[in-house]
Amino acid sequence: MTGDFEETFVLIVGGGPVGLTSAIDLAQRGVPCILITENLETATQPRCNFVNARTMEHFRRLGLAEEVRAAAPLAKMHPRVAFVTRFCGHEFGNIDLLKTRLSEGQLGPESGLSISQLFLEPLLRRHAEASESVDVRFGTRLVALGGEDGAPIATVEDVRTGVRKRIRSRYVIGADGARSPVRRHFNISMAGDDGRIDNAFVSGTMITYFVRAPTLLEESRRAPATITWIINHDLRAFVFAQDGRERWIIHYQVPEGLGWEQVRSDEVMRSIFGKDLPYEILAEGPWTGGLSLVAAAYRAGPAFLVGDAAHLYTPLGGFGMNTGIGDVLNLTWKLAAAYSGWAGPNLLDSYEAERRSIGLRNSKIGIHCSKRKGKWLIPPTIEDEGEAGARARKTFGDFVVVDDLDEYDTSGLQLGERYESSPIVCANGTAAPPDTWSNYKPADFPGARSPHFWPSPGRGFYDLLGRDYTLVDFESGEPLEALLEAAKLRRLPLSVVRCPAPGQPYQSKLVLVRPDQHIAWHGNAPPEDPTAVIDRVRGA
Ligand SMILES: Cc1cc2nc3c(=O)[nH]c(=O)nc-3n(C[C@H](O)[C@H](O)[C@H](O)COP(=O)(O)OP(=O)(O)OC[C@H]3O[C@@H](n4cnc5c(N)ncnc54)[C@H](O)[C@@H]3O)c2cc1C
């Protein structure tokens, strides 16, 4: 405490999955920070259900992947999507998610995992709270931001006692969600689709019911599904399994012209279940579907927007939190560089240059899938018993399982993030494969996520890399001293890993890998001007 301020290097506003992950990484990098979040507990009304392969890679680097897997009750369930008329009605199509996730697992050390925010957030909170350099304060709200550019001062309030304090920090991370007070303070607008989209399946006012329905699975007489789409002429809804037994998240589209408070939950439940079954609503609340919004700026002076504060997506495909975790792990190593004194003056600006384009790129899938589903022509006889109904369901089912596949087969979006035009990457014209949603193609080019391979059983390429920059030497036989000397001169922490050349897709013998596993520079011989390379990758 200095004067009437507490002091820290980074103030994180928001203790959702993105803010908590930033605290864990900053702590591992030894950067002092305070995390404040107005909620007293982690999420009680879960939204996010899918941690994708790239996020699992990040969790692996943070030492959390095993624990996340162990905390996911659904990890033991065969992941699949079911298309049904009612939960206890006819299933007319399904998609085996294991097949789409297997390709992720072959292209990286981890594959995606179905885990509810209910289980993920407490785990992240525990890890953040266990770190000595992080002070985690649940029940603390940001009420005002002031101070000067170089030293923002936050006024924060204990939501239980009303006691106010001031915190001065060098930087602020706005991980404060959709309504982001940090974003509002800096008058940063959001642009894109705002939910008023004709007939999109998930759009406008949606209600989430978090329910316990102990007999629902048994009464459905179907194999358990991770995601169940309810398709009929009365309503639009989808259901996520939470524990594989009795807890479910049900998302329901509120009919136009009706306020969400006017919805009769008993009628909705009966209609979704297709039967009168016992259930208990554990939590409920509205949200807006059909969004595809990205902030006009990701940085304002000392403040950085991450996660839902920076972008709001329609959740189909599951890219909101996953993109947010990618944001924050692009930022934290740069803040750590600023803390340690080796960041060049442009390093922190590269956060917006790199992540805003990813925010825009990832904003498209959810709304695309929602609009596409909205165009489905549901057969009039979809719920009829007898042969005509069965035929209609078969034809429609065969169509939807193909039409809907792009929502789940997203290895390109997950693993193909690239920063080839970044000011801190040494682009050299190496051809990059097209940036596609599915069919990720590993490639060795500056800006790409470095392609994964297994140097030894169970030990992935990323497991060899250091916490900071790593120079990977694939048996180049070249002298590395000049590059190492240049790094030392600029105090850029650089470790060297020597590894047998893996062959394709690596074409270069020397690869400079960033702390976030992306390629900063590559070549078959050390650069002619090593200081220029080191200066570029540290944002000088
Ligand atoms: C139905 C649905 C399903 C989804 N499924 C997925 C999925 O499968 N995969 C996926 O990646 N994403 C999914 N998402 C999106 C995902 O839930 C969000 O992207 C994610 O929760 C954003 O995390 P965050 O940490 O940025 O923000 P939040 O989780 O919103 O956390 C923000 C935090 O900031 C705090 N805060 C706000 N104001 C203040 C203040 N003044 N002072 C202090 N603290 C404050 C809040 O209390 C909160 O804890 C889904 C979303 C929905 C609606």
Side-chain angles (χ1 to χ4, degrees):
M1 188 101 111
T2 312
D4 62 344
F5 306 119
E6 285 181 86
E7 302 255 10
T8 190
F9 193 71
V10 180
L11 174 68
I12 303 163
V13 183
V18 174
L20 289 167
T21 303
S22 70
I24 294 169
D25 195 46
L26 285 171
Q28 292 192 0
R29 295 179 186 282
V31 180
C33 55
I34 297 177
L35 181 149
I36 57 163
T37 191
E38 67 180 343
N39 44 311
L40 292 167
E41 296 299 333
T42 50
T44 49
Q45 186 185 309
R47 294 171 287 164
C48 178
N49 276 283
F50 178 54
V51 172
N52 76 22
R54 183 62 182 141
T55 301
M56 284 301 286
E57 289 176 0
H58 290 310
F59 285 159
R60 183 181 178 104
R61 181 174 64 69
L62 296 172
L64 306 176
E66 272 306 315
E67 227 181 296
V68 171
R69 243 190 309 279
L74 300 183
K76 294 174 199 93
M77 183 171 128
H78 192 106
R80 67 178 204 114
V81 180
F83 301 88
V84 303
T85 52
R86 314 269 164 176
F87 204 98
C88 301
H90 296 280
E91 178 170 319
F92 54 87
N94 60 69
I95 294 174
D96 183 349
L97 290 178
L98 208 54
K99 289 195 178 137
T100 59
R101 291 187 194 168
L102 267 184
S103 69
E104 299 158 14
Q106 285 155 0
L107 298 164
E110 299 282 346
S111 46
L113 180 72
S114 299
I115 176 171
S116 158
Q117 232 166 317
L118 267 190
F119 303 109
L120 179 64
E121 282 192 24
L123 184 156
L124 296 176
R125 177 180 179 176
R126 234 183 6 261
H127 278 271
E129 286 179 337
S131 315
E132 271 180 16
S133 59
V134 185
D135 181 346
V136 177
R137 301 179 190 173
F138 273 66
T140 304
R141 175 185 298 133
L142 174 77
V143 288
L145 255 183
E148 294 173 3
D149 245 19
I153 297 173
T155 305
V156 306
E157 180 178 272
D158 187 315
V159 300
R160 290 150 293 204
T161 62
V163 171
R164 291 190 171 192
K165 287 184 180 162
R166 300 206 297 165
I167 301 173
R168 183 158 69 181
S169 60
R170 272 299 292 282
Y171 297 105
V172 174
I173 297 181
D176 45 355
R179 294 195 178 82
S180 177
V182 174
R183 189 183 67 229
R184 282 162 196 243
H185 172 81
F186 289 101
N187 278 325
I188 298 176
S189 57
M190 301 283 273
D193 274 330
D194 65 359
R196 286 177 290 242
I197 289 161
D198 287 347
N199 207 30
F201 196 97
V202 177
S203 62
T205 307
M206 306 284 302
I207 300 190
T208 294
Y209 297 105
F210 177 29
V211 302
R212 198 175 78 84
T215 56
L216 181 60
L217 187 58
E218 197 189 334
E219 290 285 341
S220 75
R221 297 195 172 86
R222 296 182 294 106
T226 325
I227 309 172
T228 306
W229 291 97
I230 312 285
I231 314 282
N232 59 49
H233 288 283
D234 300 340
L235 56 83
R236 286 169 161 184
F238 51 113
V239 181
F240 283 100
Q242 296 294 289
D243 58 6
R245 290 182 301 114
E246 57 174 18
R247 286 195 283 175
W248 312 87
I249 283 287
I250 299 174
H251 301 294
Y252 165 72
Q253 188 182 46
V254 178
E256 241 186 279
L258 210 63
W260 76 273
E261 304 89 340
Q262 295 165 287
V263 171
R264 294 275 313 266
S265 57
D266 51 345
E267 286 172 10
V268 169
M269 278 327 143
R270 195 176 314 118
S271 195
I272 289 174
F273 295 164
K275 265 185 184 175
D276 253 327
L277 293 177
Y279 69 90
E280 173 193 1
I281 296 182
L282 304 172
E284 66 185 302
W287 52 281
T288 305
L291 299 183
S292 169
L293 295 171
V294 177
Y298 274 28
R299 178 177 189 186
F304 299 88
L305 301 180
V306 297
D308 275 16
H311 42 74
L312 280 170
Y313 301 158
T314 298
L316 306 191
F319 277 90
M321 178 200 72
N322 286 305
T323 306
I325 287 180
D327 295 339
V328 92
L329 295 179
N330 178 290
L331 175 62
T332 41
W333 68 267
K334 295 172 183 173
L335 289 169
Y339 179 68
S340 308
W342 58 267
N346 305 317
L347 187 67
L348 289 173
D349 276 339
S350 72
Y351 167 67
E352 174 172 312
E354 294 184 342
R355 290 308 297 183
R356 191 165 174 276
S357 53
I358 298 292
L360 289 163
R361 162 196 192 258
N362 292 1
S363 69
K364 300 191 175 87
I365 182 164
I367 194 63
H368 160 84
C369 294
S370 182
K371 284 181 182 171
R372 182 179 43 61
K373 274 192 180 64
K375 292 191 186 123
W376 284 351
L377 296 173
I378 305 172
T381 53
I382 191 150
E383 295 201 75
D384 287 4
E385 299 303 332
E387 244 181 64
R391 256 199 319 274
R393 283 190 293 278
K394 164 93 177 71
T395 310
F396 187 55
D398 289 350
F399 163 73
V400 297
V401 297
V402 175
D403 195 52
D404 213 33
L405 204 56
D406 59 0
E407 185 173 328
Y408 317 102
D409 189 4
T410 55
S411 63
L413 274 181
Q414 297 177 45
L415 305 177
E417 287 186 355
R418 71 257 324 259
Y419 308 131
E420 59 208 317
S421 325
S422 165
I424 62 160
V425 159
C426 304
N428 62 358
T430 307
D435 187 7
T436 53
W437 287 5
S438 60
N439 287 322
Y440 162 72
K441 295 265 181 301
D444 167 15
F445 65 95
R449 162 184 164 275
S450 52
H452 152 84
F453 62 97
W454 295 104
S456 56
R459 192 122 201 265
F461 175 56
Y462 302 149
D463 302 335
L464 305 182
L465 303 177
R467 202 187 292 291
D468 298 299
Y469 271 95
T470 308
L471 179 61
V472 184
D473 183 350
F474 291 130
E475 302 171 306
S476 72
E478 295 282 341
L480 306 179
E481 289 75 14
L483 193 54
L484 297 179
E485 198 48 45
K488 200 166 158 200
L489 194 72
R490 298 292 199 246
R491 295 170 50 212
L492 179 138
L494 175 61
S495 52
V496 177
V497 164
R498 293 193 164 78
C499 177
Q504 288 301 328
Y506 282 97
Q507 301 161 5
S508 29
K509 298 272 184 211
L510 292 170
V511 183
L512 182 61
V513 184
R514 305 178 354 161
D516 57 7
Q517 301 159 345
H518 280 253
I519 298 174
W521 168 91
H522 73 178
N524 281 321
E528 276 173 25
D529 185 348
T531 309
V533 166
I534 294 298
D535 275 345
R536 185 163 175 96
V537 304
R538 69 182 191 90

